[in-house]
Amino acid sequence: MAAVPVIIFMFTATMILTTAAAPLTLMLERAFPNHGIHLDELRARDTLRHGRLLKYSEHVVGLDVY
């Protein structure tokens, strides 16, 4: 029974030291590449998409945000 806390301690210490030595890095990529599309066109697409989502949903309320 005394070995269990020691194993947990060693595992935790190993994880902390490993993370500190080599921090986790994430590569961020766009879900939908821009390809030079203007912001106005992206807004129009987003408005249409939100409209479709609201049209087919019974429990979502759409509010304009300014």
Side-chain angles (χ1 to χ4, degrees), residues 1-64:
M1 284 289 208
V4 173
V6 173
I7 292 172
I8 292 173
F9 173 77
M10 291 181 66
F11 176 76
T12 305
T14 302
M15 293 303 293
I16 291 171
L17 291 174
T18 303
T19 304
L24 179 65
T25 57
L26 301 174
M27 297 298 295
L28 300 179
E29 297 179 8
R30 291 179 177 262
F32 303 99
N34 188 340
H35 298 299
I37 298 173
H38 293 286
L39 186 58
D40 292 334
E41 187 177 346
L42 291 173
R43 283 186 183 138
R45 288 182 182 184
D46 195 46
T47 300
L48 289 173
R49 182 173 130 339
H50 285 164
R52 284 192 307 267
L53 290 172
L54 292 173
K55 182 178 179 180
Y56 297 111
S57 178
E58 298 175 9
H59 305 291
V60 176
V61 177
L63 301 172
D64 291 330

